[in-house]
Amino acid sequence: MTWLTMQALTENQIRASLLNVSQSERKNVTLPADLVESPWDEMDFYGARDCKLALVGYVVALVDDEPAGLLLRQAEAKPRTREAYTGFDVEAARAARIAAMRENVTAFVRAVRDGV
């Protein structure tokens, strides 16, 4: 699978891309005020937290050359932390997590879009 650089999206395109929301939820999404200034050509996908709802965020990825997005709700439980050990290559681990996230985001959004 080839990973695409994110294209610049408008508020309307982001709202329209959200697959797992109702019409009223779509209208109530609060997008960042600096959306236009986002460094689109440096992004693999667009993600942000809702400015008014602390536990809500959204992610938009290009899936089959079309924007597809999901509204996400953060669990209230704290995530576990990872401790590094001697000889652990932090940068290599970070690069591996980023590569895995790229693939996971696309696969997850595609599965939701396709009803899998």
Side-chain angles (χ1 to χ4, degrees):
M1 175 186 312
T2 303
W3 191 259
L4 301 173
T5 300
M6 195 65 200
Q7 67 187 28
L9 299 173
T10 65
E11 285 191 33
N12 288 338
Q13 288 174 309
I14 291 172
R15 289 178 199 284
S17 77
L18 297 174
L19 303 169
N20 63 334
V21 298
S22 67
Q23 288 294 345
S24 63
E25 286 175 313
R26 185 172 282 129
K27 290 178 187 175
N28 291 326
V29 167
T30 306
L31 298 168
D34 62 352
L35 177 68
V36 176
E37 300 165 13
S38 298
W40 295 101
D41 58 340
E42 297 173 14
M43 295 181 185
D44 294 326
F45 58 89
Y46 179 75
R49 287 195 179 262
D50 191 293
C51 301
K52 294 183 180 176
L53 302 171
L55 298 179
V56 173
Y58 39 88
V59 62
V60 180
L62 292 179
V63 177
D64 302 326
D65 296 326
E66 293 293 325
L70 297 174
L71 187 94
L72 305 170
R73 298 187 200 291
Q74 180 180 336
E76 295 198 23
K78 297 272 187 194
R80 64 182 183 163
T81 59
R82 300 175 193 214
E83 293 187 29
Y85 54 86
T86 304
F88 182 73
D89 186 342
V90 174
E91 286 304 312
R94 179 178 181 273
R97 287 194 309 273
I98 289 170
M101 180 184 267
R102 287 177 178 152
E103 297 299 323
N104 291 341
V105 166
T106 300
F108 182 66
V109 172
R110 181 177 283 125
V112 171
R113 182 197 64 189
D114 296 344
V116 178

